[in-house]
Structure formats: C-alpha cells, structure tokens
Short mmCIF file of all heavy atoms in Angstrom, two decimals:
data_model
loop_
_atom_site.label_atom_id
_atom_site.label_comp_id
_atom_site.label_asym_id
_atom_site.label_seq_id
_atom_site.Cartn_x
_atom_site.Cartn_y
_atom_site.Cartn_z
N ASP I 13 0.86 -1.23 0.01
CA ASP I 13 0.08 -0.01 -0.03
C ASP I 13 0.84 1.15 0.06
O ASP I 13 0.64 2.29 -0.65
CB ASP I 13 -0.97 -0.01 1.23
CG ASP I 13 -2.04 -1.05 1.16
OD1 ASP I 13 -2.60 -1.21 -0.01
OD2 ASP I 13 -2.22 -1.72 2.02
N LEU I 14 1.95 1.22 0.73
CA LEU I 14 2.82 2.32 0.81
C LEU I 14 3.48 2.58 -0.57
O LEU I 14 3.62 3.69 -1.02
CB LEU I 14 3.93 2.22 1.80
CG LEU I 14 3.41 2.20 3.33
CD1 LEU I 14 4.58 1.85 4.35
CD2 LEU I 14 2.86 3.50 3.64
N ARG I 15 3.83 1.58 -1.21
CA ARG I 15 4.50 1.70 -2.53
C ARG I 15 3.44 2.14 -3.58
O ARG I 15 3.75 3.07 -4.38
CB ARG I 15 5.05 0.31 -3.01
CG ARG I 15 5.87 0.26 -4.19
CD ARG I 15 7.20 1.08 -4.03
NE ARG I 15 7.95 0.57 -3.05
CZ ARG I 15 9.14 -0.12 -3.18
NH1 ARG I 15 9.67 -0.20 -4.43
NH2 ARG I 15 9.87 -0.41 -2.24
N LEU I 16 2.24 1.76 -3.36
CA LEU I 16 1.16 2.30 -4.23
C LEU I 16 0.85 3.75 -4.03
O LEU I 16 0.73 4.61 -5.02
CB LEU I 16 -0.19 1.56 -4.16
CG LEU I 16 -1.42 1.96 -4.88
CD1 LEU I 16 -1.12 1.88 -6.39
CD2 LEU I 16 -2.70 1.20 -4.51
N ARG I 17 0.88 4.12 -2.85
CA ARG I 17 0.60 5.48 -2.58
C ARG I 17 1.82 6.42 -3.14
O ARG I 17 1.58 7.59 -3.63
CB ARG I 17 0.61 5.88 -1.03
CG ARG I 17 -0.61 5.43 -0.38
CD ARG I 17 -0.74 5.74 1.06
NE ARG I 17 -1.76 4.95 1.76
CZ ARG I 17 -1.76 4.77 2.90
NH1 ARG I 17 -0.91 5.37 3.76
NH2 ARG I 17 -2.75 4.00 3.55
N ALA I 18 2.98 5.90 -2.97
CA ALA I 18 4.15 6.70 -3.50
C ALA I 18 4.03 6.79 -4.96
O ALA I 18 4.34 7.82 -5.50
CB ALA I 18 5.51 5.99 -3.13
N LEU I 19 3.65 5.66 -5.70
CA LEU I 19 3.54 5.76 -7.13
C LEU I 19 2.36 6.76 -7.51
O LEU I 19 2.58 7.43 -8.48
CB LEU I 19 3.23 4.33 -7.69
CG LEU I 19 3.05 4.05 -9.18
CD1 LEU I 19 4.36 4.50 -9.79
CD2 LEU I 19 2.79 2.63 -9.48
N ILE I 20 1.29 6.68 -6.87
CA ILE I 20 0.11 7.71 -7.09
C ILE I 20 0.74 9.13 -6.98
O ILE I 20 0.34 10.01 -7.83
CB ILE I 20 -1.02 7.36 -6.28
CG1 ILE I 20 -1.62 5.97 -6.69
CG2 ILE I 20 -2.17 8.43 -6.32
CD1 ILE I 20 -2.78 5.51 -5.75
N ALA I 21 1.34 9.30 -5.84
CA ALA I 21 1.94 10.73 -5.67
C ALA I 21 2.93 11.12 -6.65
O ALA I 21 2.93 12.33 -7.15
CB ALA I 21 2.67 10.73 -4.27
N PHE I 22 3.78 10.18 -7.12
CA PHE I 22 4.77 10.48 -8.21
C PHE I 22 3.95 10.92 -9.49
O PHE I 22 4.22 11.78 -10.22
CB PHE I 22 5.66 9.28 -8.52
CG PHE I 22 6.52 9.39 -9.72
CD1 PHE I 22 7.81 10.06 -9.38
CD2 PHE I 22 6.16 9.18 -10.87
CE1 PHE I 22 8.62 10.35 -10.40
CE2 PHE I 22 6.92 9.43 -11.95
CZ PHE I 22 8.25 9.93 -11.79
N ARG I 23 2.89 9.99 -9.85
CA ARG I 23 2.10 10.33 -11.07
C ARG I 23 1.41 11.71 -11.03
O ARG I 23 1.29 12.36 -12.03
CB ARG I 23 1.11 9.16 -11.34
CG ARG I 23 1.77 7.95 -11.77
CD ARG I 23 0.90 6.87 -12.22
NE ARG I 23 0.24 7.13 -13.48
CZ ARG I 23 -1.01 6.75 -13.87
NH1 ARG I 23 -1.78 5.92 -13.00
NH2 ARG I 23 -1.39 6.94 -15.02
N ASP I 24 0.87 12.00 -9.69
CA ASP I 24 0.21 13.25 -9.58
C ASP I 24 1.22 14.35 -9.66
O ASP I 24 0.82 15.45 -10.32
CB ASP I 24 -0.52 13.35 -8.19
CG ASP I 24 -1.70 12.45 -8.04
OD1 ASP I 24 -2.12 11.90 -9.10
OD2 ASP I 24 -2.13 12.09 -6.94
N SER I 25 2.37 14.34 -9.35
CA SER I 25 3.35 15.46 -9.32
C SER I 25 3.98 15.51 -10.66
O SER I 25 4.25 16.61 -11.16
CB SER I 25 4.38 15.32 -8.24
OG SER I 25 5.18 14.19 -8.48
N GLU I 26 4.30 14.30 -11.25
CA GLU I 26 5.04 14.41 -12.55
C GLU I 26 4.21 14.25 -13.73
O GLU I 26 4.54 14.60 -14.86
CB GLU I 26 6.02 13.22 -12.56
CG GLU I 26 7.17 13.29 -11.52
CD GLU I 26 8.01 14.53 -11.65
OE1 GLU I 26 8.50 14.78 -12.79
OE2 GLU I 26 8.40 15.07 -10.65
N GLY I 27 2.90 13.78 -13.60
CA GLY I 27 1.98 13.62 -14.77
C GLY I 27 2.36 12.42 -15.64
O GLY I 27 2.02 12.44 -16.84
N ARG I 28 3.17 11.42 -15.22
CA ARG I 28 3.57 10.38 -15.93
C ARG I 28 3.93 9.24 -15.09
O ARG I 28 4.10 9.40 -13.95
CB ARG I 28 4.78 10.69 -16.84
CG ARG I 28 5.90 11.15 -16.01
CD ARG I 28 7.22 11.45 -16.88
NE ARG I 28 8.29 12.01 -16.19
CZ ARG I 28 9.20 11.31 -15.34
NH1 ARG I 28 8.95 9.96 -15.32
NH2 ARG I 28 10.18 11.86 -14.69
N ASP I 29 4.02 8.00 -15.76
CA ASP I 29 4.60 6.87 -15.06
C ASP I 29 6.16 7.00 -14.80
O ASP I 29 6.74 7.66 -15.63
CB ASP I 29 4.31 5.53 -15.72
CG ASP I 29 2.79 5.09 -15.79
OD1 ASP I 29 2.10 5.62 -14.94
OD2 ASP I 29 2.54 4.15 -16.51
N PRO I 30 6.69 6.40 -13.89
CA PRO I 30 8.18 6.45 -13.54
C PRO I 30 8.85 5.62 -14.73
O PRO I 30 8.29 4.74 -15.34
CB PRO I 30 8.31 5.89 -12.15
CG PRO I 30 7.10 5.03 -12.04
CD PRO I 30 6.00 5.50 -12.76
N TYR I 31 10.00 6.10 -14.93
CA TYR I 31 10.95 5.56 -15.98
C TYR I 31 11.90 4.59 -15.40
O TYR I 31 12.51 4.83 -14.27
CB TYR I 31 11.76 6.62 -16.87
CG TYR I 31 10.91 7.64 -17.59
CD1 TYR I 31 11.09 8.98 -17.44
CD2 TYR I 31 9.93 7.10 -18.43
CE1 TYR I 31 10.50 9.86 -18.13
CE2 TYR I 31 9.10 8.03 -19.20
CZ TYR I 31 9.52 9.38 -19.05
OH TYR I 31 8.69 10.27 -19.68
N PHE I 32 12.26 3.42 -16.14
CA PHE I 32 13.22 2.52 -15.72
C PHE I 32 14.44 3.23 -15.65
O PHE I 32 15.46 3.00 -14.82
CB PHE I 32 13.43 1.37 -16.52
CG PHE I 32 12.30 0.29 -16.33
CD1 PHE I 32 11.13 0.25 -17.00
CD2 PHE I 32 12.48 -0.48 -15.29
CE1 PHE I 32 10.18 -0.67 -16.80
CE2 PHE I 32 11.45 -1.55 -14.98
CZ PHE I 32 10.42 -1.62 -15.64
N ARG I 33 14.88 3.96 -16.59
CA ARG I 33 16.21 4.63 -16.74
C ARG I 33 16.31 6.05 -16.06
O ARG I 33 17.03 6.88 -16.60
CB ARG I 33 16.66 4.69 -18.18
CG ARG I 33 16.72 3.45 -18.80
CD ARG I 33 17.11 3.47 -20.26
NE ARG I 33 17.33 2.06 -20.65
CZ ARG I 33 17.51 1.80 -21.90
NH1 ARG I 33 17.57 2.78 -22.90
NH2 ARG I 33 17.70 0.53 -22.35
N ALA I 34 15.51 6.15 -15.04
CA ALA I 34 15.55 7.44 -14.35
C ALA I 34 16.77 7.61 -13.76
O ALA I 34 17.48 6.82 -13.25
CB ALA I 34 14.46 7.48 -13.34
N SER I 35 17.25 8.87 -13.61
CA SER I 35 18.44 9.22 -12.82
C SER I 35 18.27 9.23 -11.31
O SER I 35 19.30 9.03 -10.59
CB SER I 35 18.91 10.68 -13.08
OG SER I 35 17.94 11.66 -12.89
N THR I 36 17.04 9.27 -10.85
CA THR I 36 16.77 9.06 -9.37
C THR I 36 16.44 7.70 -8.92
O THR I 36 15.65 7.11 -9.70
CB THR I 36 15.77 10.06 -8.94
OG1 THR I 36 14.49 9.66 -9.54
CG2 THR I 36 16.08 11.50 -9.17
N PRO I 37 17.16 7.20 -7.98
CA PRO I 37 16.89 5.74 -7.55
C PRO I 37 15.35 5.43 -7.19
O PRO I 37 14.90 4.46 -7.45
CB PRO I 37 17.77 5.53 -6.38
CG PRO I 37 18.81 6.60 -6.48
CD PRO I 37 18.14 7.74 -7.14
N GLY I 38 14.78 6.45 -6.57
CA GLY I 38 13.40 6.28 -6.10
C GLY I 38 12.47 6.01 -7.32
O GLY I 38 11.55 5.22 -7.30
N GLU I 39 12.64 6.87 -8.43
CA GLU I 39 11.85 6.72 -9.54
C GLU I 39 12.03 5.35 -10.23
O GLU I 39 11.11 4.74 -10.69
CB GLU I 39 12.13 7.76 -10.57
CG GLU I 39 11.17 7.74 -11.72
CD GLU I 39 11.41 8.93 -12.76
OE1 GLU I 39 12.18 9.87 -12.40
OE2 GLU I 39 10.88 8.79 -13.79
N HIS I 40 13.43 4.92 -10.23
CA HIS I 40 13.62 3.62 -10.79
C HIS I 40 13.03 2.49 -10.12
O HIS I 40 12.31 1.56 -10.68
CB HIS I 40 15.16 3.40 -10.84
CG HIS I 40 15.46 2.13 -11.35
ND1 HIS I 40 15.34 1.57 -12.69
CD2 HIS I 40 15.93 0.98 -10.72
CE1 HIS I 40 15.73 0.33 -12.66
NE2 HIS I 40 16.06 -0.05 -11.54
N ARG I 41 12.97 2.53 -8.75
CA ARG I 41 12.37 1.52 -7.95
C ARG I 41 10.82 1.52 -8.12
O ARG I 41 10.27 0.42 -8.18
CB ARG I 41 12.73 1.67 -6.43
CG ARG I 41 14.05 1.33 -6.09
CD ARG I 41 14.35 1.29 -4.48
NE ARG I 41 14.20 2.56 -4.01
CZ ARG I 41 15.21 3.48 -3.85
NH1 ARG I 41 16.32 3.13 -4.21
NH2 ARG I 41 14.93 4.49 -3.21
N LEU I 42 10.29 2.67 -8.26
CA LEU I 42 8.82 2.75 -8.57
C LEU I 42 8.54 2.02 -9.91
O LEU I 42 7.60 1.40 -10.06
CB LEU I 42 8.27 4.10 -8.45
CG LEU I 42 8.14 4.85 -7.17
CD1 LEU I 42 7.79 6.28 -7.17
CD2 LEU I 42 7.06 3.94 -6.25
N ALA I 43 9.33 2.38 -10.89
CA ALA I 43 9.07 1.79 -12.31
C ALA I 43 9.18 0.36 -12.15
O ALA I 43 8.39 -0.37 -12.83
CB ALA I 43 10.13 2.41 -13.22
N VAL I 44 10.24 -0.21 -11.44
CA VAL I 44 10.32 -1.68 -11.39
C VAL I 44 9.16 -2.38 -10.60
O VAL I 44 8.65 -3.39 -10.97
CB VAL I 44 11.68 -1.93 -10.59
CG1 VAL I 44 11.82 -3.50 -10.26
CG2 VAL I 44 12.80 -1.59 -11.36
N TRP I 45 8.71 -1.64 -9.52
CA TRP I 45 7.67 -2.11 -8.78
C TRP I 45 6.25 -2.20 -9.60
O TRP I 45 5.68 -3.25 -9.70
CB TRP I 45 7.37 -1.29 -7.52
CG TRP I 45 6.22 -1.77 -6.71
CD1 TRP I 45 6.36 -2.79 -5.73
CD2 TRP I 45 4.91 -1.43 -6.69
NE1 TRP I 45 5.14 -3.00 -5.15
CE2 TRP I 45 4.13 -2.18 -5.68
CE3 TRP I 45 4.21 -0.49 -7.29
CZ2 TRP I 45 2.93 -2.04 -5.41
CZ3 TRP I 45 2.76 -0.30 -7.14
CH2 TRP I 45 2.20 -1.12 -6.12
#
C-alpha cells in the first residue's frame, strides 16, 4: 500500500509513469515495482 501511494503521488506530481532509466533511484524503484 505504501508503494502504491508513492506511485500515485509520483504520477500526480510528474504527470507520467516512472521511467526505468531514471536518474533518481526512487523513480527507478517505482518503475520496477
């Protein structure tokens, strides 16, 4: 549930799904999840 909330917050703030090749580790982990 925490990972889902983080993913929703990311999509709300960025307006997109996270990228695998993101420069930030958090975004990469969300993309993998």
Side-chain angles (χ1 to χ4, degrees):
D13 291 318
L14 292 173
R15 192 63 60 110
L16 177 61
R17 285 188 204 157
L19 184 56
I20 291 169
F22 178 87
R23 287 183 77 203
D24 289 345
S25 68
E26 299 293 323
R28 61 176 173 80
D29 284 346
Y31 296 130
F32 278 101
R33 295 184 178 166
S35 59
T36 58
E39 183 178 352
H40 173 75
R41 283 191 298 273
L42 287 175
V44 169
W45 184 82

